[in-house]
Amino acid sequence: MKSSDTTHSSTDVAAEGTAYQRAGVNIEAGYEAVTRMKPHVARTRRLGAMGGLGGFGGTFDLSELNMKAPVLVSGTDGVGTKLMLAMAMKRYDTIGQDVVAMCVNDVIVQGAEPLYFLDYIACGKAFPERIEQVVKGVADGCVLAGCALIGGETAEMPGLYDEQEFDLAGFAVGAVEKDALLTGEEIAAGDVLIGLPSSGVHSNGFSLVRHVLLKKGQEDECLAEEIPALGSTLGEALLMPTRIYVKALMPSLAKGLLTGAAHVTGGGFYENLPRMLPKGLSVSVTRGQWPEPAIFDVIRERGQIPEREMFNTFNMGIGMVLAVRKSNQQAVLDQLASQGEAAYVIGEVVAGEGECHIKGIDA
């Protein structure tokens, strides 16, 4: 990971530093941020990771994986307007996990093991302590996903961002043997749908969340509200980091027990579940087969949001859905249970035209 404009010689920095600082960019703060990142990045090293921080590009030795016909699978994403809550609460150590999760969960649903991750932080002013907290969260996410943090960029851009504002995005690459790539083409009518629980809202739908739950000019008070049903403040519940499902899925993928998988992100059930299906199939989901986190009750009730819209926006307590042959259902459930993972049979694959039908909501 490097900081913007840190490739000058020491003479250049001495000559330019004062002028550049007057323009709003603090090179020394960038250096300090990189120094603070190093111990967090070190925690993420894994087989194949090469080099250290400060290079122009991160390197990874794919040959160390001894794969016969590797296919690379990549994913990129950000945290969206959830960042605004983190900034309002001055809590920066969890959103890094969010950005990793959004990327690696998209990689694992295609059967690929995440190998490495790069992040991008753009800010109005580089605060080394804050950048360190963000990168700590990124490193935490990488450890949970088993991938290496091999590089990134911190860009200080005064004039584009306010001093207290920043943005966060990431990029993950995974690999899978070509004949083990999970394309969804093997999904068939009668396959069982197994849902894995979310930790809450995850990282989608926050524009609606902010509109419904945060009163303009009273955001701090709203986020600090203690809500008994949540067992926390509203802000703490909303900042709960996105779950990473890599280690939960890897054993079942290695045994070839899954026919498909869907990461439930923006668009909720109605958009994401059909994305894993081949033509001629739909999914039927039975509501009530899993516990819905209380945060969704708060959003629904305070926003007077119809049930279908809730399921069309949020994950509603299920962050990952697996398609499994009925004959493999128990083996997958047992595997997940052995890892301490809760899992729920939430529906099945049926004939149809690529739709998601939810019993109890759809006629």
Side-chain angles (χ1 to χ4, degrees):
M1 183 175 299
K2 63 186 179 69
S3 178
S4 290
D5 301 303
T6 59
T7 56
H8 299 295
S9 70
S10 57
T11 303
D12 291 333
V13 172
E16 292 183 24
T18 302
Y20 213 178
Q21 279 188 289
R22 286 201 299 268
V25 176
N26 188 340
I27 295 175
E28 296 302 323
Y31 294 153
E32 182 184 344
V34 172
T35 299
R36 287 172 172 269
M37 294 174 194
K38 288 182 178 180
H40 300 296
V41 174
R43 294 189 288 120
T44 74
R45 287 195 65 84
R46 57 151 291 155
L47 182 69
M50 299 174 65
L53 297 184
F56 287 98
T59 53
F60 190 94
D61 186 356
L62 196 59
S63 69
E64 288 198 18
L65 302 184
N66 296 316
M67 300 182 76
K68 296 178 181 178
V71 172
L72 296 180
V73 178
S74 58
T76 184
D77 212 332
V79 183
T81 60
K82 187 174 185 176
L83 273 174
M84 298 178 72
L85 275 67
M87 287 186 275
M89 296 175 64
K90 295 180 172 56
R91 175 78 185 273
Y92 309 114
D93 62 341
T94 61
I95 52 173
Q97 179 175 325
D98 286 306
V99 75
V100 174
M102 295 301 290
C103 297
V104 299
N105 286 342
D106 281 352
V107 167
I108 193 67
V109 296
Q110 293 186 254
E113 176 189 1
L115 302 177
Y116 59 85
F117 187 85
L118 292 90
D119 64 10
Y120 174 74
I121 303 170
C123 57
K125 183 176 180 178
F127 295 99
E129 299 89 346
R130 184 171 70 182
I131 292 171
E132 179 190 3
Q133 287 300 297
V134 173
V135 175
K136 173 191 177 297
V138 172
D140 289 342
C142 286
V143 169
L144 290 171
C147 65
L149 177 56
I150 65 170
E153 174 75 359
T154 300
E156 190 173 11
M157 296 188 284
L160 184 58
Y161 294 91
D162 179 85
E163 279 196 359
Q164 296 300 324
E165 292 179 345
F166 67 99
D167 200 3
L168 175 65
F171 176 85
V173 173
V176 58
E177 292 284 8
K178 191 173 183 178
D179 60 4
L181 187 66
L182 205 61
T183 65
E185 291 300 318
E186 299 299 316
I187 296 177
D191 282 2
V192 174
L193 300 178
I194 296 175
L196 305 186
S198 71
S199 56
V201 183
H202 282 183
S203 298
N204 298 103
F206 274 86
S207 293
L208 178 57
V209 166
R210 290 185 301 106
H211 176 72
V212 167
L213 300 182
L214 305 185
K215 297 178 182 178
K216 192 171 182 178
Q218 301 178 42
E219 290 85 355
D220 290 348
E221 293 88 340
C222 292
L223 291 169
E225 180 188 357
E226 291 279 355
I227 300 179
L230 300 179
S232 69
T233 66
L234 178 61
E236 289 167 341
L238 292 174
L239 271 194
M240 188 71 67
T242 306
R243 287 201 62 205
I244 290 174
Y245 297 97
V246 173
K247 292 180 180 178
L249 269 61
M250 286 301 295
S252 294
L253 286 168
K255 295 178 181 178
L257 297 177
L258 309 184
T259 56
H263 180 202
V264 186
T265 57
F269 277 56
Y270 288 106
E271 180 178 337
N272 289 290
L273 270 59
R275 291 173 65 184
M276 68 175 170
L277 299 173
K279 290 184 178 180
L281 295 175
S282 292
V283 293
S284 175
V285 173
T286 302
R287 189 182 179 189
Q289 298 298 104
W290 70 92
E292 294 177 13
I295 186 62
F296 296 113
D297 292 329
V298 175
I299 296 169
R300 178 193 298 110
E301 292 166 9
R302 295 192 180 185
Q304 294 296 294
I305 300 173
E307 293 299 326
R308 184 179 175 87
E309 187 174 348
M310 290 291 295
F311 276 82
N312 200 38
T313 304
F314 303 109
N315 65 62
M316 299 306 293
I318 295 293
M320 181 70 66
V321 176
L322 314 178
V324 177
R325 293 275 187 267
K326 195 167 184 60
S327 58
N328 290 329
Q329 172 183 329
Q330 196 57 50
V332 172
L333 291 173
D334 289 345
Q335 178 65 63
L336 292 167
S338 72
Q339 298 170 266
E341 180 73 46
Y344 308 94
V345 176
I346 66 170
E348 63 178 338
V349 178
V350 298
E353 299 302 322
E355 298 175 335
C356 175
H357 181 275
I358 303 178
K359 295 178 180 178
I361 296 178
D362 301 315

